[in-house]
Amino acid sequence: MAHLNHAEYHLEKQKAFFASGKTRSLEFRKSALQQLKALIEKNAGEIIQSTQLDLGKPEIEAYTGELGLILNEIKIALKNLKNWSRVKKVRTPLIIQPGRSLIRQVPYGVVLIISPWNYPFFLSLAPLVSAIAAGNCAVIKPSELSLNTSSCLASLIRKYFDPNFITVKTGGPEVSVNLIAQRPDFLFFTGSTTVGKKVMAACAEHLIPLTLELGGKNPCIVNDCTNIRTAARRIAWGKFFNAGQTCFAPDYIIVESSLKDRLVAELKLAIGKFYGKSPGKSPDYARIISEAHTNRLHQLAKGHTVLSGGTFDSSKKFVSPTILDVTDWNAPIMKEEIFGPLLPVLEYTSLQESLEHILKLGEPLTVYLFTEDPVVENKVRDTITSGSLNINTTFSHIMSGHLPFGGVGSSGMGRYRGRAGFETFSYKRSEFKRSFLFDTTFIYPPYKTSLKFLKKIMPFLF
Ligand code: NAD
């Protein structure tokens, strides 16, 4: 087939590998997860280095954000795989007895995982853990922007796995488009809402089921707090981890007006303690992925009063942790996902009005709420639709492999991590096996049973 490029050729081989049935046994899946664990543990140094080349990731952030959480995912999967895979026996109605009714959780087949550049390892390998656990073959298409990590990932996967089982295809959007056209059996996409819409349209063409992990504007509502210092520290950490390039980072703060000055003062203090007087010299502060994104952030900050930070250096892909005083909900910075270390602070006097503003920005991936008032907690919970809700904290939900992760509406659809990931990468197949011992002949034509009699016995038959 001379006209096929390399990517096209490969998906065919994967489909054949899946059809061989090898990936389905518990032993195969467990051993593949052990192999993935070995890949991470034996190559952690090289992996961390590649994230440092792309994003200047601090070692601790690279290890925790990229690798530690995947190792935890593997641990949870290995411990629970047998239980998750258990065939469920359900009741068999009289009309089809004697027989056996079962629900099996079965893999889709060849799954395509398309990932972004901000956590290039985690966002490729965490879904892969679930894909393997459920018994699929996988093709990973990492981002073309995180060049070093994507090529490191490709070479490690090649070294540790049979390419007919798991492989990485590097390149730009055209590679994804090409792979989708070959009809993978399931698609797991992590990226922007704009591209997510295109991916979903392409999947609709072939009826490929999919999960979308998208972005959006995550509000951080500060309503009341007895411990504003701890609140500020938690917000600053969540915002400036990986220089704000985290899909579930607080995008902006909306604070009750009487608390604003104290909160800003505490945020400045926290930033100073984290990164010192010159964050550019701190080994604990990451860089922006590209010059273009650095310039985009600079543009977004323009026109707002800088309360802290405000240094932009595109040649060094550096943006300092920056707090901005924002008063206009219609400013460009309030229209798009920031995805960088700019933290707008808006104030409110009416919680109701502020919730109405938040609602207009689409469904967030997560909502951060700082309050000790249960009435406010219930109000926010019941008013805003979001993928998750974090109260008096940031980032905590991602640290648990037992909490399903994902968005809703404009921030995506579907869930993963732990059991939720296993269920996402498999589907429930109903299975019924009937005995030849007895046959309910009255169901066959010519129908002799009167309708009146049938109506009477129906409730007992089903
Ligand atoms: P992106 O959407 O530009 O790209 C993501 C991936 O899609 C890349 O691999 C890219 O090559 C590919 N792609 C681009 N155009 C495509 C097309 N037309 N068809 C198919 N694939 C295509 O996103 P990005 O800039 O890499 O990442 C940043 C975005 O990702 C932010 O919006 C962020 O919020 C989001 N994100 C979401 C999560 C989550 O879990 N919800 C996690 C990380 C990042």
Side-chain angles (χ1 to χ4, degrees), residues 147-366:
L147 264 182
N148 294 288
T149 32
S150 295
S151 68
C152 174
L153 179 69
S155 79
L156 289 175
I157 291 282
R158 203 177 307 125
K159 195 166 148 194
Y160 279 76
F161 290 100
D162 178 342
N164 298 324
F165 171 41
I166 299 169
T167 191
V168 175
K169 293 283 161 210
T170 53
E174 69 291 348
V175 175
S176 311
V177 170
N178 176 308
L179 288 166
I180 296 171
Q182 292 170 66
R183 305 182 63 178
D185 301 295
F186 182 82
L187 194 148
F188 190 96
F189 173 82
T190 307
S192 62
T193 303
T194 312
V195 174
K197 286 178 189 171
K198 291 184 193 167
V199 167
M200 191 166 174
C203 284
E205 182 83 9
H206 307 289
L207 291 179
I208 301 166
L210 82 163
T211 287
L212 293 174
E213 298 284 348
L214 310 176
K217 288 187 89 62
N218 306 312
C220 178
I221 307 165
V222 183
N223 173 256
D224 69 274
C225 244
T226 42
N227 197 336
I228 203 118
R229 176 156 298 175
T230 304
R233 197 164 46 216
R234 290 177 183 176
I235 296 168
W237 178 65
K239 178 69 189 186
F240 300 115
F241 193 99
N242 202 27
Q245 300 161 111
T246 305
C247 56
F248 50 86
D251 188 274
Y252 61 96
I253 290 177
I254 168 150
V255 56
E256 202 281 323
S257 59
S258 65
L259 284 180
K260 184 184 168 192
D261 292 345
R262 272 177 61 212
L263 180 69
V264 170
E266 291 294 349
L267 283 168
K268 286 184 189 173
L269 200 70
I271 293 169
K273 282 199 171 160
F274 290 173
Y275 310 113
K277 279 197 178 112
S278 310
K281 292 189 186 138
S282 165
D284 295 324
Y285 188 63
R287 293 296 178 269
I288 307 302
I289 185 69
S290 66
E291 285 192 26
H293 275 281
T294 313
N295 291 332
R296 176 184 67 81
L297 291 165
H298 199 175
Q299 283 304 320
L300 280 183
K302 280 186 180 157
H304 303 289
T305 307
V306 175
L307 300 174
S308 173
T311 307
F312 298 83
D313 185 340
S314 59
S315 67
K316 291 187 177 147
K317 297 188 282 181
F318 173 77
V319 177
S320 61
T322 297
I323 305 175
L324 298 168
D325 193 14
V326 174
T327 49
D328 181 6
W329 281 92
N330 291 315
I333 199 165
M334 295 309 296
K335 293 281 183 203
E336 65 176 83
E337 181 184 13
I338 297 171
F339 219 58
L342 308 181
L343 183 55
V345 178
L346 297 99
E347 61 180 80
Y348 73 87
T349 44
S350 151
L351 181 67
Q352 180 58 36
E353 262 176 43
S354 69
L355 296 181
E356 282 163 19
H357 278 300
I358 293 170
L359 284 174
K360 285 185 195 144
L361 297 176
E363 296 82 2
L365 193 53
T366 191

Side-chain angles (χ1 to χ4, degrees), residues 402-452:
H402 305 284
L403 284 173
F405 180 84
V408 63
S410 55
S411 57
M413 58 183 78
R415 293 287 178 274
Y416 74 127
R417 309 290 304 277
R419 184 177 197 133
F422 174 83
E423 288 177 352
T424 285
F425 280 93
S426 56
Y427 67 96
K428 288 180 169 51
R429 181 152 77 178
S430 298
E431 195 174 300
F432 187 74
K433 188 170 178 180
R434 191 124 190 232
S435 157
F436 280 109
L437 278 179
F438 171 76
D439 208 13
T440 33
T441 49
F442 74 91
I443 63 168
Y444 305 125
Y447 302 116
K448 300 222 175 74
T449 322
S450 77
L451 192 57
K452 196 175 161 198

Side-chain angles (χ1 to χ4, degrees), residues 1-10 174-175 178-179 182:
M1 299 179 94
H3 67 284
L4 291 181
N5 71 23
H6 190 57
E8 284 169 318
Y9 176 65
H10 212 93
E174 69 291 348
V175 175
N178 176 308
L179 288 166
Q182 292 170 66

